[in-house]
Amino acid sequence: MNNISPKIILFFISTIYVYSDLIYNECVDSSMTYIMDQDYSGAKNYLIHEFEKDSNNIDALYMLLNVFTTELLDYESYILNGTAVCAYSDTVLEYINRFIKGYNLNKEAYKKYLFFKGNIFMHKGLIQAKTGSWIQGVKNARASVRLLKELLLLDSTCYDAILPVGLFNYYVGQKLKWIPFMGIKSKAGLSDIEKAATFKSPFSFGAKKSLLEIYIEKEQYEKADALVSEILINYPDNTIFLGIKAKISLLKREFSTAVLLGNRLKTLSENRFAINWTDLT
């Protein structure tokens, strides 16, 4: 496991926003709108307000962590803010563990909190992978897979768990495809990712982003272009997906389109409250 490349871990743990039949508080949908609009300050203020109204609102606490992590991914500010977000991850984990022990949860609630815990380990692993702590990052990735597989035992159709486990299976299978049957594991993983990406939910954007990375890696540029264009119809100013669209245009040698998209990306980035210099390089 320690020999798995950084790329595997990063793709495995970079996607966290998926949805199946788990029952979430309404603040999840509302905060996701802020996140897709890249209004991180608005999302934080909203979620803090929701948690102050109800200290048992674990969904708000968990989504606040998602906001911090998405902001790190967007601005690539791992060195600057990674330690603080890891510390907050531990706080949320502790809070969830106390909540689970202190309440007689039904099966649906337990499934949701199991999902939350699994993804918190992903958050931590991503930050550790980005800052060079690969051994600890791998440990957290393994802990995440273990928790999410437990969730799948409770509900084999739970897309919340299918996506990250699918990512893990796909990239491990790709890395170790010289071993018999690992190619089958990789194909099964990709199938799970595609299922999660097509699921009708506002939380499927993480699955779509992962699928975009895979299509680009496989040089399936037409598939990638169609998928990212579909996302940009509803979120035309999202610089994360706009940057991916520009990259695809460049890879397709559609240079005039790439220049136009690059200029739009530059304008949007310069007009953000905090300029994202990674979009401008």
Side-chain angles (χ1 to χ4, degrees):
M1 202 53 195
N2 289 352
N3 293 325
I4 294 176
S5 73
K7 195 172 186 180
I8 294 173
I9 301 174
L10 288 177
F11 278 122
F12 160 52
I13 59 187
S14 66
T15 306
I16 54 180
Y17 306 119
V18 287
Y19 177 79
S20 65
D21 61 345
L22 298 185
I23 301 171
Y24 295 107
N25 183 285
E26 63 182 11
C27 71
V28 173
D29 285 314
S30 298
S31 59
M32 276 303 299
T33 300
Y34 283 106
I35 289 171
M36 287 304 296
D37 288 337
Q38 295 172 288
D39 181 3
Y40 304 123
S41 294
K44 291 172 190 174
N45 290 335
Y46 167 73
L47 289 165
I48 289 170
H49 176 68
E50 290 299 303
F51 187 71
E52 287 176 344
K53 288 196 303 184
D54 178 9
S55 61
N56 288 330
N57 191 344
I58 305 296
D59 297 51
L61 201 63
Y62 172 73
M63 286 304 296
L64 188 57
L65 175 59
N66 279 342
V67 175
F68 286 129
T69 306
T70 304
E71 192 172 25
L72 284 179
L73 284 165
D74 192 353
Y75 284 89
E76 298 187 22
S77 56
Y78 300 95
I79 301 299
L80 184 63
N81 299 315
T83 301
V85 176
C86 275
Y88 179 66
S89 299
D90 290 335
T91 298
V92 178
L93 257 180
E94 182 182 348
Y95 201 96
I96 291 175
N97 286 333
R98 288 206 313 266
F99 196 82
I100 290 174
K101 291 178 181 178
Y103 290 83
N104 185 21
L105 301 177
N106 60 35
K107 182 179 178 181
E108 293 305 311
Y110 180 73
K111 282 164 48 179
K112 178 172 69 172
Y113 297 138
L114 197 62
F115 168 67
F116 285 175
K117 288 178 64 175
N119 278 304
I120 289 170
F121 282 106
M122 289 187 188
H123 287 292
K124 291 186 66 178
L126 171 61
I127 296 168
Q128 289 158 344
K130 280 286 192 178
T131 54
S133 300
W134 291 110
I135 294 177
Q136 194 58 46
V138 168
K139 287 181 180 179
N140 281 319
R142 294 178 68 179
S144 175
V145 170
R146 185 170 59 252
L147 287 164
L148 294 171
K149 283 185 175 179
E150 181 184 343
L151 175 54
L152 284 173
L153 288 175
L154 294 173
D155 182 359
S156 62
T157 65
C158 183
Y159 283 82
D160 293 337
I162 286 174
L163 171 62
V165 173
L167 281 166
F168 184 79
N169 288 336
Y170 173 76
Y171 281 105
V172 169
Q174 287 292 102
K175 179 69 175 178
L176 304 176
K177 58 186 175 183
W178 53 273
I179 299 177
F181 306 112
M182 290 305 289
I184 297 174
K185 188 181 186 77
S186 182
K187 288 181 181 179
L190 179 56
S191 176
D192 284 340
I193 298 165
E194 289 175 331
K195 287 176 186 176
T198 57
F199 195 75
K200 300 300 181 183
S201 163
F203 288 88
S204 64
F205 293 108
K208 290 176 180 177
K209 184 177 183 299
S210 295
L211 197 54
L212 283 168
E213 300 288 355
I214 291 171
Y215 286 158
I216 291 171
E217 185 180 64
K218 288 178 169 290
E219 299 184 2
Q220 296 178 352
Y221 303 135
E222 294 301 329
K223 281 187 175 182
D225 200 9
L227 180 56
V228 76
S229 296
E230 176 187 317
I231 296 168
L232 288 169
I233 290 173
N234 294 317
Y235 298 96
D237 293 339
N238 186 291
T239 62
I240 295 173
F241 290 105
L242 194 62
I244 293 173
K245 171 78 172 175
K247 178 180 179 179
I248 294 167
S249 298
L250 197 60
L251 291 169
K252 290 172 65 178
R253 304 183 69 81
E254 296 175 352
F255 300 121
S256 58
T257 301
V259 170
L260 288 173
L261 290 168
N263 286 334
R264 176 166 172 73
L265 184 62
K266 177 177 179 292
T267 300
L268 287 170
S269 297
E270 289 176 340
N271 289 332
R272 293 176 70 177
F273 176 74
I275 295 177
N276 189 343
W277 296 104
T278 63
D279 288 339
L280 302 177
T281 56

